[in-house]
Amino acid sequence: MTIELNKQEVLKIRMDAVTLQLLERARSYVDLDKSKFIRQSIREKAESVISEHEKTRFSSGDWQMFFAMLDNPPEPTERMKKAALTYQRIIDTE
């Protein structure tokens, strides 16, 4: 997803009185102008939401299998051995 950046973009939002008072109170503590405070808050929230949705989650069974395979790794397959040789040849030629 590509977003064209333009500093002149304007976002108009409506805010109820309680939210506006909360905004003003919070921004007074960090000494930022309203626009910068809103941008920073939106960025922090967006990063948090993206991080939460793009996080890999493992079940208890997944973790048990992962650690069991670390303790007792399976023998490499022929395909894995071939891939390792191909990788080594690429590295050696650089």
Side-chain angles (χ1 to χ4, degrees), residues 76-87:
T77 63
E78 289 303 315
R79 186 173 177 189
M80 292 168 75
K81 291 175 186 176
K82 183 178 176 183
L85 287 172
T86 301
Y87 174 76

Side-chain angles (χ1 to χ4, degrees), residues 6-24:
N6 180 357
K7 279 201 158 212
Q8 301 305 313
E9 290 291 328
V10 175
L11 174 66
K12 293 183 180 183
I13 59 173
R14 293 188 180 140
M15 208 175 298
D16 59 82
V18 173
T19 304
L20 186 57
Q21 288 173 349
L22 191 62
L23 165 77
E24 290 297 333

